Amino acid sequence: MLDPIRLVTDLFKEKNLSDADLRAFTEDFLARLANPENNPAGIYNSMLVGTTNRYQNYYGNMSTQLSKEAIGKGLTISMNNALDAVLSKLRGLQGLIKFKFGDKSEVYKEFYPQEMKQYYNASLGETATLFARFLEIAVTHLQVPYPAEVAELTILIDNFTAARHAQEINFSTVDNIATDRHSSRKALTIQLTRCFLRIASDTVENPDKFDDYYEPRYLPIRKGKKKEKTEKEPV
């Protein structure tokens, strides 16, 4: 089991990790982070986007198609899960809005002009606009009587938006190396360190889960030698 505390300083400096190993490590980390089991409800989408952008600034495209496909597959699953969560919430609010305003009211028609059909049949390109409109109406009519419902809806829509944005990231097709290699590498390693500390903090009570995010052979683990206990001879 990895010990995160031993790795806090000088995590990804060149003396610890060569360019080739940093590249392999980052691609492995991104693939693991994109796995929905390691990114529940898209809580790490911002880290995924930030790390991918800094990776591209330094290395260009993914070195292996396998890494790219694994990340793309994970992001699609995360996005679909986030979409399902929003649709489930809209469906749940439908009964509340009917009870509060009546299904023949103008307010109800604002929320559901075509019942749920409009939301179920929308393309991915249309969902962001529809969800934003629904949230705006919810703030107008539900914020005062049901603030918790509006807060939850806001979080779910934000999660979907972030997941969709992450999925839409296009990896570069040309392996261009950044001109300012030092600053670009530093930006990437600082981002990786931020991710490392965030995940270490989130998994401090479940260190086995921490292992799901990292391949130990790329990390500069320093293990101290255990001192052997010596028994004192009787005088």
Side-chain angles (χ1 to χ4, degrees):
M1 182 170 61
L2 297 177
D3 181 2
I5 303 303
R6 292 180 181 272
L7 307 172
V8 173
T9 58
D10 297 332
L11 291 179
F12 307 107
K13 287 188 175 180
E14 286 188 80
K15 65 180 181 180
N16 293 327
L17 211 57
S18 69
D19 255 9
D21 282 347
L22 178 64
R23 182 172 199 160
F25 166 80
T26 307
E27 292 187 7
D28 178 76
F29 172 64
L30 286 170
R32 290 166 180 261
L33 193 62
N35 184 336
E37 292 184 4
N38 295 333
N39 186 25
I43 60 172
Y44 295 136
N45 280 342
S46 61
M47 294 199 317
L48 197 55
V49 172
T51 306
T52 300
N53 287 341
R54 287 164 179 79
Y55 172 96
Q56 289 178 296
N57 287 341
Y58 187 55
Y59 288 112
N61 69 312
M62 288 284 164
S63 65
T64 66
Q65 186 63 23
L66 185 62
S67 296
K68 184 175 178 180
E69 289 175 357
I71 294 168
K73 182 178 179 181
L75 289 174
T76 298
I77 293 173
S78 292
M79 189 276 298
N80 286 337
N81 289 342
L83 175 61
D84 289 344
V86 176
L87 292 175
S88 177
K89 185 62 181 177
L90 299 191
R91 188 169 60 250
L93 286 173
Q94 191 174 18
L96 177 66
I97 294 167
K98 277 183 181 180
F99 173 78
K100 177 71 176 176
F101 303 103
D103 61 358
K104 304 298 183 185
S105 68
E106 291 301 315
V107 173
Y108 179 82
K109 290 177 182 177
E110 279 188 73
F111 281 105
Y112 303 99
Q114 300 174 33
E115 299 295 332
M116 280 296 296
K117 191 182 302 182
Q118 182 180 20
Y119 302 107
Y120 284 135
N121 295 340
S123 67
L124 283 175
E126 297 169 335
T127 50
T129 301
L130 288 175
F131 290 166
R133 183 186 65 82
F134 191 101
L135 182 59
E136 185 178 344
I137 299 168
V139 169
T140 300
H141 296 291
L142 302 179
Q143 182 65 51
V144 174
Y146 307 108
E149 296 289 350
V150 175
E152 183 182 356
L153 177 64
T154 301
I155 292 171
L156 292 175
I157 291 177
D158 285 347
N159 288 343
F160 167 75
T161 302
R164 177 64 176 154
H165 176 63
Q167 189 204 30
E168 288 177 325
I169 290 176
N170 292 319
F171 295 108
S172 171
T173 56
V174 180
D175 194 9
N176 293 321
I177 303 298
T179 304
D180 190 355
R181 289 179 57 78
H182 177 73
S183 62
S184 296
R185 190 184 201 279
K186 187 173 182 179
L188 173 60
T189 57
I190 288 174
Q191 171 67 13
L192 289 170
T193 303
R194 287 196 188 102
C195 296
F196 181 93
L197 295 174
R198 165 74 187 279
I199 292 170
S201 175
D202 289 349
T203 60
V204 69
E205 295 182 359
N206 183 15
D208 288 336
K209 182 61 181 174
F210 180 83
D211 291 359
D212 293 342
Y213 294 92
Y214 293 102
E215 168 55 58
R217 67 191 172 97
Y218 292 121
L219 296 173
I221 302 171
R222 302 175 182 88
K223 293 183 179 179
K225 294 181 179 179
K226 293 183 179 179
K227 294 181 179 180
E228 295 182 3
K229 294 182 179 180
T230 57
E231 294 184 6
K232 293 182 179 180
E233 293 183 4
V235 180

